[in-house]
Amino acid sequence: MSVPQQVVTNDDLAQRMDTSDEWIRSRTGIAERRVAGPGEFTSTLATAAGREAIERAGLSPDDIDMVIVATCTPDRPFPATACAVQANLGIKRVPAFDIAAACSGFVYGLSVATSMIQSGASRNLLLIAADIFTHLIDWNDRNTCVLFGDGAGAVVLQATDKPLGLLSAQIGAAGEGETLMAVDACGTRMPATADLLEQGKQYVYMNGREIFKHAVREMCDSTLRAVEGAGLSLDDIRLMIPHQANLRIIEATAKRLEIPMDRVMVNIDHYGNTSAASVPIALYEAVQQGRVHDGDYLLLTAFGGGLTWGSSVIRWGRP
Ligand code: UT7
């Protein structure tokens, strides 16, 4: 994983606007977040996370035969950030492309990546989820700016005959909810003009309450289908690793699924909502903390703009 150096605490924000550490902690569980500085791009974080993942897999860049980056905040509107990452890591002439599924990006990416391996198109695939979501933030909008942080997480997926890796996945979307959370300007629909930038149309807006309800419902429903698809029950899941958008969303989801919180990974306090990167960063820290062992069944679940969602059951281990 990789996060920017710069830490912004709730108190830092409270000095700039009408908010408080108490409000942010009690409504979201967030205490601080990392914010990219000048010269730190999505590809910067993605490259650092990708490099570490390749090293930890005991591989070299020459072994990687596909690069996928899940992001909704690419370096440039065009071309794909995966190509910059490929070049940065010195990975030669292999397919490299982005996936845009907002906060569900890593869970979507895991499905696409696994299909690539199962089809024989790849044997050693680098999957990175990276977002500099603060790029889309209006730092004067307290409804959104307190929620997000920047980061990247990466995994190497390898072909194996063992019953490991992604066992079952449920990904979905409801496009009619597109404008519950969106950025209106700077795409083809509303190209950037001085006037639109003046109005702040390049920034994200969100209907937090509606998103909250959809998030709990879709993460629960997709989890139940994914667990059933893997031929398991929720009791078999050693650790749930949910998207870190709001501690209250995580707790409501766990409660509805009757998963005790000691089997749920939470690190939102340090990073806020890092969009697509939140699930792999939480997975990384769960591994670091010794909470993930070979053979464990893990549940990843996420929800985000689109609306998109997804749940995956994976069995942890080396090929
Ligand atoms: O990654 C996936 C996408 N996003 C999400 O999953 C976010 C889902 N939604 C949420 O996490 C929550 O809805 C929020 C954290 C965004 C908001 O929490 P809430 O409990 O739904 O609060 P609210 O929007 O209903 O606002 C309650 C009050 C309002 O004041 P009034 O109208 O009751 O007087 C807001 O103006 O809190 C006010 N408020 C704030 N106060 C202090 C909103 N933001 C802040 C703030 N500091 N930063």
Side-chain angles (χ1 to χ4, degrees), residues 97-121:
F97 59 96
D98 289 358
I99 290 179
C103 302
S104 311
F106 184 76
V107 175
Y108 265 61
L110 213 47
S111 285
V112 173
T114 300
S115 301
M116 287 293 184
I117 289 174
Q118 285 170 342
S119 73

Side-chain angles (χ1 to χ4, degrees), residues 3-311:
V3 289
Q5 290 279 315
Q6 184 185 189
V7 178
V8 176
T9 66
N10 292 345
D11 285 332
D12 292 336
L13 294 173
Q15 282 173 11
R16 293 167 56 167
M17 69 190 69
D18 182 17
T19 189
S20 65
D21 179 53
E22 199 283 326
W23 192 96
I24 302 171
R25 271 182 207 263
S26 61
R27 298 288 180 127
T28 71
I30 300 166
E32 60 188 26
R33 70 285 292 142
R34 301 298 186 98
V35 176
E40 269 177 323
F41 318 129
T42 300
S43 64
T44 318
L45 303 178
T47 299
R51 182 174 289 122
E52 186 183 350
I54 294 169
E55 278 167 19
R56 284 179 182 268
L59 300 178
S60 83
D62 286 343
D63 299 315
I64 299 299
D65 58 19
M66 195 173 291
V67 180
I68 303 178
V69 174
T71 186
C72 60
T73 54
D75 280 17
R76 297 182 166 94
F78 162 89
T81 299
C83 296
V85 173
Q86 176 197 25
N88 290 347
L89 291 173
I91 298 170
K92 300 279 183 309
R93 303 185 68 80
V94 304
F97 59 96
D98 289 358
I99 290 179
C103 302
S104 311
F106 184 76
V107 175
Y108 265 61
L110 213 47
S111 285
V112 173
T114 300
S115 301
M116 287 293 184
I117 289 174
Q118 285 170 342
S119 73
S122 172
R123 291 194 65 80
N124 295 311
L125 190 151
L126 178 62
L127 170 64
I128 307 171
D131 270 311
I132 295 196
F133 207 86
T134 60
H135 173 68
L136 304 178
I137 290 298
D138 176 355
W139 288 104
N140 295 312
D141 177 8
R142 68 175 187 174
N143 290 302
T144 51
C145 79
V146 304
L147 304 174
F148 295 96
D150 303 327
V155 293
V156 171
L157 297 166
Q158 294 186 272
T160 178
D161 293 328
K162 296 183 195 165
L164 295 172
L166 184 63
L167 304 183
S168 166
Q170 286 288 329
I171 53 175
E176 65 274 16
E178 181 193 25
T179 52
L180 285 177
M181 181 181 180
V183 174
D184 282 339
C186 303
T188 55
R189 187 188 180 97
M190 208 184 266
T193 60
D195 194 32
L196 289 172
L197 297 181
E198 186 68 29
Q199 294 171 46
K201 297 288 186 193
Q202 71 276 34
Y203 297 128
V204 71
Y205 61 85
M206 181 176 80
N207 180 336
R209 282 189 196 179
E210 275 304 304
I211 299 263
F212 194 118
K213 283 187 273 182
H214 284 284
V216 175
R217 188 169 63 232
E218 300 301 351
M219 287 199 291
C220 286
D221 288 356
S222 58
T223 288
L224 292 174
R225 292 197 306 274
V227 170
E228 189 185 344
L232 300 172
S233 81
L234 283 168
D235 289 340
D236 297 315
I237 302 297
R238 172 63 72 99
L239 193 64
M240 172 165 115
I241 301 176
H243 172 47
Q244 312 281 312
N246 185 324
L247 181 58
R248 287 157 54 219
I249 294 178
I250 295 172
E251 287 175 343
T253 305
K255 187 173 176 199
R256 199 181 281 190
L257 292 170
E258 297 180 10
I259 298 178
M261 283 304 287
D262 63 3
R263 286 200 282 135
V264 180
M265 180 64 197
V266 176
N267 65 354
I268 190 172
D269 41 338
H270 292 304
Y271 303 113
N273 180 348
T274 55
S275 189
S278 94
V279 170
I281 288 176
L283 171 62
Y284 181 99
E285 293 203 331
V287 172
Q288 294 290 97
Q289 292 167 15
R291 299 182 71 181
V292 176
H293 309 93
D294 282 355
D296 280 354
Y297 295 110
L298 308 178
L299 167 69
L300 314 183
T301 186
F303 184 88
L307 304 171
T308 57
W309 60 84
S311 294

